[in-house]
């Protein structure tokens, strides 16, 4: 009871109508299977809402590179099922990647160093433009570490011929990344095939341990990952003067602007013919404090012409797999800066990750101390990083598909689908091991609120199964929570530029979802054209269908009606059950909708006072919900009283039930059954005549 302790106006909100019950989704789907890449862990499945999004996260069509003998029946069919799902109207699909848990897949990786250890430390870069015969200038990708007295080494590998020449420099221009030299080139050099190296000058330290980059997910896909590393700068400014932070310590550099400069940045000071380096320890106004300090106030030649230029030293990492392209720019090795390469890549990349060091505590490779860019990574050829070592591992087993249940957030395979409550349709496209299909069925029967779509098992050589084979497969199961479709569908394969057979479960899940959205879950997902296929693997006759459809088979047939100009259609809507009351898919799924919605929509009643007022509120809420279903066509009857009943009170409960905390409500509904057999009786009618006087 509210308290009214002082005079005033008190506003109180009161419930004026029944508690609303909202229909749950019945079209969200979950698939388990092999993908080219993507997360392979014990985390919940990942939601995708289009095929391009699936390709971005999991890769597209692919041919796995298994260690050992590849199976005759391909396991790379999940992308085709996903495409079929979205082509047929599906909207929400959760994916769980599967791989061999014993001979597991491994990620591709590469180690990327800065300067090579040793006396002759080499800076590596690339030509930025072609260099023609007779030229005395070169344009480079980066001039970092290059001075007027440097000697470049140009190495071109073209048509199997390697050419290397030494080019002593006479000058450089940082504004356009060009260098000049006295002796004209005796031949041309192509940027695509030419690597440029230069021995680091004094002031450059020797590089530390190289960093490592790894493909974000295990699999052979990472070996073809294109990764590039190149030099970059976040900020550039002219030096105005050099001062002291304390008398005699020449470490305070006054810049024209400090925009983009930050604590931890490595600075390259270009004096026109030579360069020096320092690390920023403080930024204050237009001043940066650096370490190490300079030997004299004239060290940066602040009054020279042209002016000394201060430039930050960072690097870019670019990656693409042909579908996804990523660019991470202005990275550092210093984890005290906002641009630390490891956290940036790990937190944002779909393609790459950074392994931690094994030594405790495990940390990302870093360098917070070096005051020059010698440890900043460079690719071996100045641009391209070669990834290798990725493998798809062994062929996934039935147990890998079934998965392990380590509790919420620690599940794999089919078991991981339990982590997403919204899923109401599940499948393992193309994997027809009876233990896997039984695991799908078991999950549906356990959770009650989902339905499994099973695929026909091909022959051992991936040939089309015959009618006896599909009958034998169907005979292994008896459940009102699953349906099996036959035959497989033929789709165009962009990998081979040919037509291949794929399982129908992906296309069927899309049809389920589209039918639910357009007509309602009470409409049988049948007599619908299958989109995105070329033909059916087996053309069934009416006689074949007469064998497959009746009880006890209840096999859902896919039929070719192209001769009648009606296309390729789903022509079955039965569960693989011996219980005639639940033989229709739409009836089973309607009750899934009703039961799940009532379960979710009546949770508010738990621990409420178990009396007539609560019973009346429940009856009103449930009746309102069922009336909506009836008005939309989900229930029989010309009026609501003929479509359902709701009882809750002393007619459904005893005093013992009430005293033991039990509230029992009875609900009965009259579902709409599909018109599976449309029978038109026709006969001859003996017409007559009559004469009438006008």
């Amino acid at each position: 009871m509210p308290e009214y302790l002082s005079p005033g106006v008190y506003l109180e909100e009161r419930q004026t109508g029944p508690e609303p019950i909202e229909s749950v989704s019945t079209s969200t789907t979950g698939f388990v299977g092999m993908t080219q890449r993507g997360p392979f862990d014990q985390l919940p499945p990942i939601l995708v809402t289009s095929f391009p999004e699936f390709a971005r996260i999991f890769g597209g069509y692919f041919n796995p590179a298994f260690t050992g003998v590849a199976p005759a029946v391909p396991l790379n069919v999940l992308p085709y099922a996903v495409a079929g799902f979205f082509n047929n109207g599906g909207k929400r699909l959760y994916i769980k990647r599967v791989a061999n848990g014993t001979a597991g897949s491994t990620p591709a990786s590469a180690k990327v160093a800065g300067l090579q250890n040793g006396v002759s430390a080499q800076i590596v870069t690339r030509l930025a433009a072609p260099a023609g015969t007779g030229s005395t200038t070169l344009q480079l990708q980066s001039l970092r570490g290059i001075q007027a007295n440097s000697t470049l080494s140009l190495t071109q590998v073209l048509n199997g011929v390697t050419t290397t020449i030494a080019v002593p420099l006479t000058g450089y221009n940082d504004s356009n990344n060009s260098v000049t030299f006295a002796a004209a080139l005796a031949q041309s050099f192509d940027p695509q095939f030419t690597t440029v190296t230069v021995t680091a000058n004094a002031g450059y330290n020797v590089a530390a341990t190289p960093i490592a980059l790894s493909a974000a997910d295990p699999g052979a896909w990472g070996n073809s990952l294109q990764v590039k590393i190149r030099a970059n700068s976040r900020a550039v400014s002219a030096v105005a003067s050099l001062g002291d932070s304390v008398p005699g310590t020449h470490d305070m550099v006054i810049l024209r602007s400090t925009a983009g400069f930050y604590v931890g940045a490595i600075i390259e000071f270009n004096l026109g013919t030579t360069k020096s380096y320092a690390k920023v320890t403080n930024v204050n106004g237009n001043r940066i404090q650096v370490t190490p300090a300079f030997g004299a106030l004239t060290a940066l030649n602040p009054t020279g012409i042209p002016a000394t230029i201060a430039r930050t030293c960072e690097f870019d990492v670019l990656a693409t797999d042909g579908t996804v392209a990523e660019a991470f720019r202005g990275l550092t090795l210093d984890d005290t800066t906002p641009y630390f390469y490891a956290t940036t890549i790990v937190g944002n990349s779909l393609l790459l990750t950074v392994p931690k060091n094994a030594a405790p505590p495990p940390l990302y490779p870093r360098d917070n101390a070096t005051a020059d860019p010698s440890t900043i990574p460079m690719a071996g050829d100045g641009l391209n990083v070669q990834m290798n070592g990725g493998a798809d591992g062994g062929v996934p087993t039935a147990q890998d598909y079934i998965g392990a249940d380590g509790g919420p957030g620690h599940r794999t395979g089919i078991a991981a689908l339990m982590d997403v409550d919204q899923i109401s349709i599940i499948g393992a496209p193309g994997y027809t091991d009876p233990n896997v299909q039984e695991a799908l069925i078991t999950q549906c029967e356990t959770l009650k609120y989902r339905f499994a779509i099973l695929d026909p098992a091909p022959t051992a050589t991936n040939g089309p199964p015959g009618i006896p084979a599909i009958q034998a497969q169907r005979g292994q199961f008896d459940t009102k929570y699953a349906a099996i479709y036959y035959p497989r569908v033929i789709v165009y394969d962009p990998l081979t530029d040919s037509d291949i057979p794929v399982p129908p479960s992906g296309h069927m899940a899309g049809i389920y979802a589209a039918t639910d959205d357009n007509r309602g879950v009470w409409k049988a997902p049948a007599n619908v054209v299958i989109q995105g296929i070329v033909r059916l693997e087996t053309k069934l006759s009416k006689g074949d269908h007469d064998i497959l459809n009746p009880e006890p088979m209840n096999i859902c047939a896919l039929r070719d009606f192209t001769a009648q100009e009606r296309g390729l259609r789903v022509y079955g809507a039965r569960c693989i059950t011996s219980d005639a009351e639940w033989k229709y898919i739409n009836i089973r799924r309607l009750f899934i909708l009703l039961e799940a919605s009532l379960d979710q929509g009546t949770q508010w009643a738990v621990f409420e006072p178990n009396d007539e007022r609560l019973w009346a509120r429940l009856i009103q809420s449930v009746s309102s919900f069922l009336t909506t279903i009836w008005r939309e066509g989900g229930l029989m009857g010309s009026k609501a009283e003929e479509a359902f009943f709701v009882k809750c009170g002393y007619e459904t409960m005893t005093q013992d039930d009430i005293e033991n905390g039990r509230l029992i409500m009875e609900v009965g509904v009259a579902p709409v059954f599909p018109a599976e057999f449309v029978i038109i009786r026709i006969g001859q009618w003996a017409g007559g005549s009559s004469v009438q006087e006008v």
Side-chain angles (χ1 to χ4, degrees):
M1 290 290 292
E3 291 185 324
Y4 309 107
L5 303 179
S6 63
V9 176
Y10 295 85
L11 297 179
E12 300 175 355
E13 293 183 356
R14 294 298 178 110
Q15 184 74 36
T16 57
E19 295 284 347
I21 297 176
E22 184 178 357
S23 293
V24 300
S25 169
T26 56
S27 59
T28 302
T29 302
F31 282 163
V32 171
M34 277 200 68
T35 61
Q36 184 182 35
R37 57 182 178 84
F40 174 61
D41 48 35
Q42 295 180 337
L43 298 177
I46 292 178
L47 174 66
V48 296
T49 56
S50 67
F51 187 79
E53 185 179 9
F54 169 82
R56 184 173 63 86
I57 299 173
F58 293 98
Y61 306 106
F62 73 108
N63 288 316
F66 293 119
T67 55
V69 180
V73 179
L75 298 182
N76 61 340
V77 296
L78 183 57
Y80 305 94
V82 172
F85 175 80
F86 289 112
N87 285 339
N88 283 276
K91 294 181 179 178
R92 295 176 303 278
L93 176 61
Y94 284 88
I95 299 294
K96 185 62 181 177
R97 185 185 180 192
V98 168
N100 187 289
T102 304
S105 57
T106 56
S109 62
K111 289 188 175 181
V112 190
L115 298 179
Q116 298 300 313
N117 292 321
V119 177
S120 58
Q122 297 292 311
I123 301 169
V124 186
T125 185
R126 304 279 294 193
L127 288 179
T133 303
S135 176
T136 58
T137 63
L138 295 174
Q139 191 170 0
L140 305 181
Q141 294 281 1
S142 170
L143 297 189
R144 184 175 295 169
I146 294 177
Q147 303 186 143
N149 61 350
S150 299
T151 297
L152 303 185
S153 177
L154 275 62
T155 301
Q156 177 174 260
V157 181
L158 180 61
N159 297 327
V161 178
T162 301
T163 305
T164 301
I165 65 168
V167 181
L169 302 185
T170 58
Y172 64 87
N173 186 346
D174 260 0
S175 64
N176 62 5
N177 280 358
S178 66
V179 295
T180 58
F181 43 93
L185 295 178
Q187 70 169 77
S188 62
F189 287 84
D190 189 322
Q192 185 177 356
F193 306 104
T194 303
T195 300
V196 181
T197 59
V198 57
T199 300
N201 291 280
Y204 246 81
N205 291 317
V206 176
T209 303
I211 68 169
L213 294 175
S214 174
D217 309 301
W221 71 276
N223 298 330
S224 58
L225 193 59
Q226 299 175 41
V227 180
K228 301 180 186 296
I229 292 183
R230 64 188 184 193
N232 197 358
S233 295
R234 283 186 169 270
V236 180
S237 181
V239 175
S241 62
L242 178 61
D244 297 349
S245 60
V246 295
T249 303
H250 315 312
D251 60 352
M252 191 67 68
V253 182
I254 295 87
L255 302 177
R256 300 296 183 189
S257 171
T258 56
F261 287 80
Y262 55 94
V263 174
I266 295 172
I267 307 299
E268 181 179 74
F269 295 98
N270 175 20
L271 283 73
T273 58
T274 60
K275 296 179 178 179
S276 60
Y277 301 92
K279 192 175 181 72
V280 178
T281 59
N282 187 36
V283 179
N284 185 6
N286 65 340
R287 301 166 179 265
I288 59 171
Q289 187 173 356
V290 299
T291 185
F294 293 95
L297 289 174
T298 58
L300 292 182
N301 191 24
T303 61
I305 300 176
T308 298
I309 301 298
R311 185 187 307 270
T312 62
C313 298
E314 293 91 16
F315 64 99
D316 297 341
V317 175
L318 313 175
T320 181
D321 66 344
T323 301
V324 177
E326 299 177 335
F328 303 101
R329 306 184 190 278
L331 305 178
T332 73
L333 296 179
D334 190 334
D335 68 349
T336 65
T337 72
Y339 315 115
F340 183 49
Y341 79 102
T343 52
T344 300
I345 292 174
V346 171
N348 298 281
S349 179
L350 289 172
L351 302 177
L352 294 173
T353 190
V354 179
K356 292 184 177 180
N357 291 326
L363 299 172
Y364 295 118
R366 66 199 65 201
D367 182 0
N368 298 358
T370 304
D372 61 60
S374 59
T375 59
I376 291 179
M378 296 178 288
D381 67 354
L383 182 62
N384 301 291
V385 177
Q386 183 62 49
M387 305 288 286
N388 54 59
D392 287 326
V395 178
T397 65
Q399 187 56 51
D400 294 320
Y401 272 79
I402 294 169
D405 187 355
H410 298 282
R411 298 181 173 114
T412 61
I414 292 170
L417 299 179
M418 297 171 62
D419 287 331
V420 183
D421 292 336
Q422 295 86 350
I423 292 175
S424 55
I425 304 167
I426 63 174
Y431 205 87
T432 56
D433 182 281
N435 296 303
V436 172
Q437 294 189 328
E438 183 61 44
L440 292 170
I441 293 170
T442 298
Q443 185 174 119
C444 294
E445 292 179 338
T446 301
L447 300 182
K448 302 296 184 185
Y449 301 151
R450 50 186 59 177
F451 191 85
I453 302 177
L454 308 184
D455 291 311
T459 66
T461 57
N462 199 36
I467 288 179
I470 190 64
Q471 288 178 308
Q473 180 183 356
R474 181 265 174 269
Q476 299 176 81
F477 311 109
D478 187 357
T479 178
K480 56 193 176 192
Y481 286 94
I484 189 168
Y485 287 85
Y486 174 80
R488 294 188 296 181
V489 296
I490 305 295
V491 302
Y492 171 74
D493 180 19
L495 291 180
T496 60
D497 191 28
S498 62
D499 297 337
I500 61 170
V502 299
S505 55
H507 297 72
M508 286 310 309
I511 289 173
Y512 278 34
T515 302
D516 290 357
D517 291 342
N518 298 331
R519 297 286 301 276
V521 69
W522 45 84
K523 163 66 173 70
N527 199 11
V528 178
V529 175
I530 310 170
Q531 304 293 339
I533 68 173
V534 178
R535 61 184 182 276
L536 301 175
E537 187 178 33
T538 301
K539 187 173 182 178
L540 299 176
S541 67
K542 184 180 183 303
D544 297 329
H545 202 176
D546 289 343
I547 297 172
L548 298 173
N549 188 72
E551 298 179 71
M553 287 293 98
N554 290 347
I555 297 170
C556 297
L558 308 180
R559 295 288 304 276
D560 184 343
F561 293 111
T562 53
Q564 293 84 14
E565 298 183 352
R566 297 182 60 228
L568 305 167
R569 291 181 175 257
V570 185
Y571 233 60
R574 294 191 172 202
C575 302
I576 48 176
T577 179
S578 59
D579 187 345
E581 187 177 5
W582 298 100
K583 67 181 176 182
Y584 289 116
I585 295 170
N586 59 308
I587 300 300
R588 173 67 274 171
R589 297 186 66 239
L590 169 63
F591 274 80
I592 288 176
L593 167 73
L594 298 178
E595 292 167 11
S597 300
L598 292 176
D599 182 1
Q600 181 176 293
T602 58
Q603 292 295 322
W604 60 268
V606 178
F607 289 112
E608 288 291 309
N610 194 1
D611 57 14
E612 288 86 348
R613 287 171 294 182
L614 176 62
W615 305 339
R617 290 175 65 191
L618 280 170
I619 291 174
Q620 192 176 13
S621 292
V622 174
S623 297
S624 178
F625 168 68
L626 293 177
T627 298
T628 300
I629 298 296
W630 166 70
R631 285 175 176 165
E632 293 179 354
L635 300 177
M636 293 283 288
S638 58
K639 51 187 177 180
E641 290 78 8
E642 298 174 353
F644 64 86
F645 69 80
V646 181
K647 298 178 180 179
C648 185
Y650 288 113
E651 60 183 327
T652 63
M653 293 174 283
T654 65
Q655 188 62 34
D656 180 68
D657 290 324
I658 296 172
E659 292 176 358
N660 283 282
R662 293 188 291 267
L663 185 153
I664 301 172
M665 177 169 52
E666 294 182 2
V667 178
V669 299
V672 177
F673 287 83
E676 187 177 20
F677 308 102
V678 178
I679 303 169
I680 301 174
R681 295 192 171 107
I682 187 170
Q684 295 185 18
W685 173 60
S689 61
S690 63
V691 178
Q692 181 178 359
E693 182 178 347
V694 179

